[in-house]
Amino acid sequence: MGIPEKLYAIPKIDIEPFLDPSSSDDARRAVVENMSDACHTYGFFNLTGHRIPSDFLKEVFDVNKMFFALPEDKKMEVWIKNSVGRSFRGYEPSGIQTHHKGLLPDIKETFMVGREVPETDPDCGSFSTGPNLWPSSLPKEKFQNRIMAYQGRMLNLVKTILDILALGLPKEWKCPPNVFDSLLDKPSIPMRFLHYGPVQARDDRQFGVADHTDFGCVSILLQEPETSGLEAYYAPADTWIPVPVIEDAFVINMGDMMQKYTGGYYHSARHRVQTNLNKHRHSIAFFLNGNLKLRASALDGSGVETVVGEHIRNRLLDTMGDTGNLLRREVEAV
Ligand SMILES: O=C(O)CCC(=O)C(=O)O
Ligand SMILES: [Fe+2]
């Protein structure tokens, strides 16, 4: 007999007791244990109690829609091929990324923004490192400034999540509470503004985003209210669990780099976004890849070492087709 469906639901975790200095030790410990369990078992959870105002989140969807409402030529002004060297910024049209042979490329179109790195920086133009591209047709205060404010909020939130995850590692590993801090030194933090247009007809080979795992450490996703489509794979029951849209909550999931770093303790779960026949869907994903030069030695003491940047770049090359060649090109002389 199968286990009832509800046992497979993605957990919801309120982090407010962790943020409130007057909380009891027990209340803080409960947040740590719940998050650790969720990331170990599912690799996915919905996060509430983050203290980011609701209006601020609404505004970021306005920004998302502002970009994708632009005519094609205005979006193409900032297409990814115009990014500096291998920095991989700007607009990625629909139909570029293919996660597995035999599938059609993803429906999604994306606008990518990362850490702002000036052209004078010696690392500018290296993988995932460079200046952002901004469409000249959108006003700076209403677009760029809001996006960078959102990025600032996401950086704060991911720091809190890493603090909690560090406390939730197995005790016998004796990791210090700041074990993940080196990830946040000049981090690679690509943010994807996503839009999924409606499709004309269902095709089993077509997805918004096909079955994949995220490449980095921690992903923070904001889903548009009243949409659906995101599903996480739960291997013990060989089933796909819908990830519900909870208004003002973030979906948090672990990526492959975190799974490697923690010797598999925090699980990088497969997930996908189904297509929709008649509805648009917008979402915003923030990925903490980490410091690209960091040699992350697995915390379980197994001795496995992964260079963050090499791992992320190789995963992109596997899936990005010809566009992935941008990750091989040299910085053009200015
Ligand atoms: O848009 C979503 O809901 C998920 C997107 C996603 O999985 C990704 O960009 O890696
Ligand atoms: Fe993903």
Side-chain angles (χ1 to χ4, degrees):
M1 208 170 66
I3 309 173
E5 279 282 287
K6 63 179 167 30
L7 287 185
Y8 307 144
I10 298 297
K12 185 167 96 173
I13 301 174
D14 177 1
I15 63 164
E16 171 61 28
F18 192 86
L19 295 176
D20 180 355
S22 69
S23 295
S24 67
D25 286 353
D26 282 355
R28 291 167 67 82
R29 191 71 220 158
V31 175
V32 169
E33 278 166 17
N34 289 340
M35 195 182 290
S36 175
D37 281 354
C39 294
H40 182 62
T41 309
Y42 294 99
F44 258 88
F45 65 95
N46 258 302
L47 181 147
T48 60
H50 45 70
R51 298 183 172 181
I52 302 176
S54 192
D55 285 352
F56 187 84
L57 300 181
K58 288 199 176 69
E59 239 175 48
V60 86
F61 278 113
D62 295 343
V63 164
N64 186 328
K65 290 175 186 172
M66 214 186 275
F67 180 81
F68 291 109
L70 288 175
E72 202 58 24
D73 61 321
K74 300 281 182 217
K75 290 191 279 189
M76 288 306 278
E77 184 199 348
V78 292
W79 72 320
I80 191 170
K81 287 201 176 159
N82 290 350
S83 52
V84 176
R86 293 170 240 149
S87 59
F88 228 60
R89 303 296 166 90
Y91 177 54
E92 178 192 311
S94 175
I96 300 278
Q97 198 167 26
T98 309
H99 293 278
H100 303 284
K101 274 210 176 75
L103 293 182
L104 299 174
D106 292 348
I107 291 284
K108 63 159 193 268
E109 54 174 342
T110 290
F111 177 60
M112 275 177 294
V113 176
R115 187 166 61 86
E116 186 63 45
V117 179
E119 305 232 11
T120 48
D121 188 295
D123 287 332
C124 181
S126 62
F127 170 57
S128 186
T129 311
N132 288 309
L133 304 182
W134 302 107
S136 59
S137 48
L138 293 176
K140 185 169 184 277
E141 334 69 76
K142 287 218 161 66
F143 189 70
Q144 176 176 346
N145 292 359
R146 286 179 178 176
I147 289 182
M148 294 317 272
Y150 186 75
Q151 184 187 72
R153 295 272 193 169
M154 291 301 98
L155 260 174
N156 284 337
L157 179 58
V158 86
K159 167 132 191 36
T160 303
I161 293 169
L162 288 174
D163 287 346
I164 299 173
L165 290 173
L167 295 170
L169 290 168
K171 292 267 162 306
E172 57 279 18
W173 295 358
K174 297 190 171 54
C175 295
N178 64 355
V179 66
F180 291 127
D181 282 11
S182 44
L183 288 169
L184 294 170
D185 175 26
K186 297 189 185 161
S188 157
I189 42 169
M191 205 159 49
R192 275 179 180 268
F193 289 79
L194 290 145
H195 169 233
Y196 306 87
V199 293
Q200 296 308 307
R202 283 238 185 273
D203 182 320
D204 287 348
R205 299 164 302 157
Q206 183 103 71
F207 291 86
V209 181
D211 180 1
H212 70 288
T213 50
D214 288 349
F215 309 156
C217 287
V218 176
S219 308
I220 306 180
L221 178 80
L222 190 61
Q223 308 193 77
E224 184 177 9
E226 286 160 46
T227 61
S228 60
L230 178 62
E231 299 173 336
Y233 182 67
Y234 183 55
D238 186 23
T239 193
W240 289 93
I241 313 175
V243 182
V245 181
I246 300 178
E247 215 162 324
D248 296 340
F250 291 102
V251 177
I252 311 297
N253 66 288
M254 302 291 102
D256 300 339
M257 189 58 232
M258 181 57 93
Q259 179 168 294
K260 281 172 180 277
Y261 206 173
T262 61
Y265 190 76
Y266 290 144
H267 174 63
S268 173
R270 286 163 52 191
H271 54 286
R272 65 186 184 188
V273 179
Q274 297 278 8
T275 52
N276 196 304
L277 293 177
N278 41 44
K279 206 169 174 180
H280 290 262
R281 172 187 163 88
H282 298 83
S283 61
I284 301 145
F286 170 95
F287 301 100
L288 172 73
N289 287 335
N291 177 298
L292 296 168
K293 295 177 185 170
L294 179 71
R295 294 181 171 276
S297 197
L299 299 172
D300 62 350
S302 62
V304 177
E305 196 179 71
T306 311
V307 179
V308 172
E310 281 175 17
H311 158 76
I312 307 281
R313 183 170 169 271
N314 288 339
R315 291 295 316 274
L316 270 168
L317 283 170
D318 282 349
T319 56
M320 291 299 289
D322 286 346
T323 309
N325 289 330
L326 296 179
L327 301 171
R328 295 194 172 93
R329 73 179 174 180
E330 298 306 318
V331 186
E332 277 165 36
V334 273

